[in-house]
Amino acid sequence: MTIKVVRGNPTPEELAAALAVVRARAAAAASTPSGAELPRDAWSDPARIAGHRVPQPGQASWTRTYWPS
């Protein structure tokens, strides 16, 4: 693995800390089984949005638009 500093001039301590974080994340990703599905957060679940009833077009549907009058 090659890491290149593109901008700035980090101290050896800063570079070591950043490298430790990158290596820890790589080790955690490698230890996760590839077939395992991660749990989905509730806010990103499409069923949360799809569960609400969408207004249907009708005779007065123009009153429900979001365009400024």
Side-chain angles (χ1 to χ4, degrees):
M1 174 179 8
T2 303
I3 295 180
K4 179 181 177 181
V5 176
V6 178
R7 189 178 294 176
N9 191 14
T11 65
E13 292 82 14
E14 292 171 336
L15 194 55
L19 190 58
V21 170
V22 170
R23 291 188 60 156
R25 294 286 304 235
S31 68
T32 304
S34 61
E37 187 174 321
L38 297 175
R40 178 179 260 178
D41 291 335
W43 67 267
S44 65
D45 187 10
R48 178 180 63 89
I49 298 168
H52 301 291
R53 186 176 176 162
V54 178
Q56 298 296 317
Q59 190 174 14
S61 62
W62 63 272
T63 62
R64 293 190 300 263
T65 63
Y66 294 100
W67 293 100
S69 41

